[in-house]
Amino acid sequence: MTEPRHGIVLGGSWAGMLAAHVLARHLESVTVVDRDVLPGGPAQRKGLPQARHVHVLWSGGARIVESLLPGTIDRVLAAGARKIGFHEDVVTLTSHGWQHRFPPRQYVIMCGRPLLDWTVREQVLASDRITLRQRTEAVTLTGDGTRVSGVEVHGLDDGAREVLEADLVIDATGRGSGLRKWLSALGLPPVEVDIVDAGIAYSTRQFVAPPGATAGFPAVNVAADHRERRPGRFGVVFPQEGGRWMVTLSCTRGGDLPTTEEDFLPYARSLRDPLVAQLIAPVEPITPVFVSRIGANRRLYPERLDRWPDGLLVLGDSLAAFNPIHGHGMSAAARAAAVLDRRLGGGLGPGAAHDLQRAIGETVDDPWLMAASKDLEYVGCRNHSSDPRLNLGSSAVHQFVDLVASGSMLSREVSDVVTDVLSMSAPQSELGTSRFFTLIQRAERLPELAGPPLSAEELAIANLEPRSPVLRGAR
Ligand SMILES: Cc1cc2nc3c(=O)[nH]c(=O)nc-3n(C[C@H](O)[C@H](O)[C@H](O)COP(=O)(O)OP(=O)(O)OC[C@H]3O[C@@H](n4cnc5c(N)ncnc54)[C@H](O)[C@@H]3O)c2cc1C
């Protein structure tokens, strides 16, 4: 069978919807299976607990979404999302100091995750080739080790078991995917898995932003300094649709995450700079505090198996999930969808699914390495990975990363290259070229900043006192 006609996508979230959209461009019909009820608007749902926390879509991912579903970014902007230019629209305390607000090179889309998901979902499900099966749980794959022929599902309302047949099944069921178990049941050897776990935890609350702040105030990001050799503590204030600020406070293992309303502000005050606390102290909270402890980097390696069944693919968080602080999960899933789109045109002959899975695996390598190698710098990070690049134990690697971070903070040219990589608009290998090494050594650097680079208008919006301006170190 070279031309699949019917596809099933397990999981109807971000990765699943993008995959379903791509399949519908190439196959006659697609069924999306999700155990949740997918809301008919931008609402929270049980199966997506991370949607209570800040989500940004980097420009690298946004451009792919736009190419697959033109008009999506305009739709979310019209619904109140912000397009935040990096670094002009962000005030960041990096591990090495305050980042200069260079003219934007890339951007992120900032809004609630439910708005992003719904905007994509509404367009995808408009296709008459796609059928949605909600409240339906994937239980196991059918077929054998050479070919997957469908999936056994369990109706959560009627308890009925049923086999849905397909020429192609895509697993997009997220971090909790049963794929490894399902493949064992088909008689395949275990898929290798790497885990790098810095113990990331998030605590999030929403506030009414001051008048003018959602449109005219930058996003704020206070990061930890991994060189302090103690648990990292982070805080962000991100504008959201509806005149809201979403405030996420987070930590690495041992960082005593705030889990109650009483603990929230004191924790914000304990960050390396009081800016987040100063912003939220006077404004009105409008939600309880939500906590997430899902943040380990976890990557499967289906491409390493000698045998892979035809008719099966895996992408999204099922394949690789990252520390969310880097904001790469949705963009990585979009990259996988783009590869799927490019490759499906040629049909899927015997062995083609394994080749395609390899190509999908390559799309997650950069975000995997970026997140996992950064996390290894934090005390208490647990490394259960076979990736040799994460087991070098070399302080030289960390020194280079520090050099890049400090250069990026003060030099526009360095920052431009780093921002291209961070936004998943350029490969990470850009940081290893001789051009970049020369740039790091020779680029013009601005003086270090003594405090947050906020304009008089921005200070007025947030009712903040000015702090002392630019300091030492001009080169
Ligand atoms: C706290 C937090 C903050 C984050 N912030 C960002 C960010 O700023 N930027 C970014 O790009 N990424 C971020 N991420 C990552 C992002 O949330 C994920 O990368 C993204 O949701 C992955 O999408 P997915 O479709 O693969 O999986 P999910 O979104 O997890 O969806 C899985 C779907 O599968 C369904 N499902 C599960 N099991 C079954 C089953 N057996 N049968 C049927 N259906 C099933 C679920 O109901 C769900 O709909 C963050 C993650 C966390 C935890």
Side-chain angles (χ1 to χ4, degrees):
M1 196 277 308
T2 54
E3 296 209 1
R5 293 167 60 189
H6 179 61
I8 295 181
V9 179
L10 307 178
S13 183
W14 180 260
M17 282 299 158
L18 292 179
H21 176 67
V22 167
L23 288 193
R25 285 155 74 122
H26 299 276
L27 275 57
E28 286 171 14
S29 57
V30 182
T31 304
V32 177
V33 171
D34 203 291
R35 64 180 171 203
D36 227 355
V37 173
L38 305 181
Q44 298 288 347
R45 64 184 173 94
K46 186 165 166 261
L48 201 67
Q50 69 262 42
R52 301 268 180 200
H53 303 273
V54 285
H55 268 75
V56 302
L57 178 63
W58 277 105
S59 42
R63 280 190 281 267
I64 295 174
V65 172
E66 200 51 31
S67 71
L68 294 173
L69 292 161
T72 300
I73 300 306
D74 278 350
R75 281 178 177 225
V76 291
L77 293 176
R82 280 272 303 277
K83 186 173 178 176
I84 298 283
F86 257 73
H87 289 276
E88 189 163 271
D89 303 326
V90 198
V91 167
T92 305
L93 179 60
T94 73
S95 48
H96 291 70
W98 290 100
Q99 167 75 47
H100 277 276
R101 291 171 69 180
F102 297 120
R105 169 80 171 189
Q106 298 291 342
Y107 63 89
V108 295
I109 299 299
M110 277 188 192
C111 64
R113 171 71 191 266
L115 174 61
L116 268 176
D117 275 20
W118 175 65
T119 308
V120 165
R121 186 164 68 236
E122 198 191 22
Q123 296 174 84
V124 171
L125 293 180
S127 164
D128 56 13
R129 293 188 179 196
I130 301 180
T131 308
L132 175 63
R133 293 277 302 256
Q134 308 184 81
R135 299 275 301 149
T136 304
E137 187 170 49
V139 178
T140 193
L141 299 172
T142 56
D144 56 33
T146 60
R147 157 146 220 103
V148 164
S149 58
V151 59
E152 183 177 335
V153 297
H154 173 222
L156 295 177
D157 291 324
D158 59 9
R161 295 245 171 177
E162 187 185 347
V163 171
L164 306 178
E165 309 236 308
D167 303 313
L168 178 62
V169 175
I170 296 187
D171 174 29
T173 53
R175 279 180 182 262
S177 165
L179 183 72
R180 293 181 82 230
K181 195 178 61 190
W182 298 339
L183 288 173
S184 296
L186 294 181
L188 286 159
V191 181
E192 287 180 37
V193 56
D194 275 358
I195 296 175
V196 175
D197 182 5
I200 286 290
Y202 270 40
S203 183
T204 297
R205 198 170 194 198
Q206 294 195 49
F207 295 81
V208 179
T214 40
F217 195 80
V220 169
N221 175 12
V222 173
D225 182 356
H226 56 275
R227 295 165 304 173
E228 291 174 350
R229 307 311 300 155
R230 60 177 181 207
R233 288 184 165 200
F234 314 78
V236 299
V237 180
F238 285 175
Q240 304 283 293
E241 67 276 18
R244 290 172 288 127
W245 270 343
M246 187 177 274
V247 179
T248 289
L249 306 176
S250 55
C251 65
T252 58
R253 181 168 288 104
D256 289 330
L257 187 80
T259 55
T260 65
E261 293 172 6
E262 292 68 40
D263 297 340
F264 204 79
L265 186 58
Y267 184 97
R269 289 200 178 104
S270 80
L271 298 177
R272 283 170 61 227
D273 186 275
L275 181 58
V276 170
Q278 288 168 345
L279 291 172
I280 64 175
V283 295
E284 184 198 343
I286 45 173
T287 66
V289 171
F290 293 99
V291 170
S292 163
R293 297 189 187 276
I294 313 165
N297 304 288
R298 170 193 157 280
R299 177 178 181 181
L300 300 188
Y301 294 95
E303 60 273 24
R304 289 188 188 163
L305 286 180
D306 290 337
R307 288 186 297 139
W308 178 258
D310 287 333
L312 178 68
L313 295 170
V314 50
L315 44 68
D317 276 17
S318 303
L319 176 67
F322 319 105
N323 173 349
I325 279 183
H326 307 282
H328 283 152
M330 293 188 296
S331 293
R335 283 175 74 169
V339 166
L340 187 65
D341 196 32
R342 278 200 295 277
R343 298 283 290 261
L344 269 181
L348 276 183
H354 205 184
D355 284 348
L356 179 44
Q357 189 60 56
R358 264 186 218 107
I360 290 172
E362 281 167 22
T363 67
V364 300
D365 194 56
D366 274 358
W368 161 256
L369 191 58
M370 262 188 272
S373 57
K374 177 74 190 163
D375 283 5
L376 287 174
E377 295 180 344
Y378 290 103
V379 288
C381 181
R382 295 174 187 159
N383 184 3
H384 303 287
S385 75
S386 57
D387 187 331
R389 300 165 301 177
L390 301 174
N391 288 285
L392 292 172
S394 159
S395 64
V397 176
H398 291 164
Q399 277 168 18
F400 177 67
V401 172
D402 285 343
L403 195 66
V404 172
S406 58
S408 177
M409 188 181 87
L410 303 176
S411 154
R412 177 175 173 185
E413 290 165 283
V414 176
S415 169
D416 280 354
V417 180
V418 172
T419 306
D420 283 353
V421 171
L422 276 182
S423 63
M424 293 183 63
S425 306
Q428 197 173 3
S429 55
E430 286 292 317
L431 305 181
T433 60
S434 65
R435 190 188 76 83
F436 184 67
F437 295 152
T438 309
L439 204 57
I440 284 272
Q441 284 168 335
R442 306 230 178 113
E444 187 79 21
R445 292 182 186 214
L446 295 177
E448 284 180 32
L449 296 166
L454 286 160
S455 69
E457 295 75 27
E458 290 164 348
L459 290 168
I461 286 175
N463 208 10
L464 294 175
E465 292 295 321
R467 298 199 216 160
S468 52
V470 167
L471 258 191
R472 59 187 194 272
R475 208 179 90 185

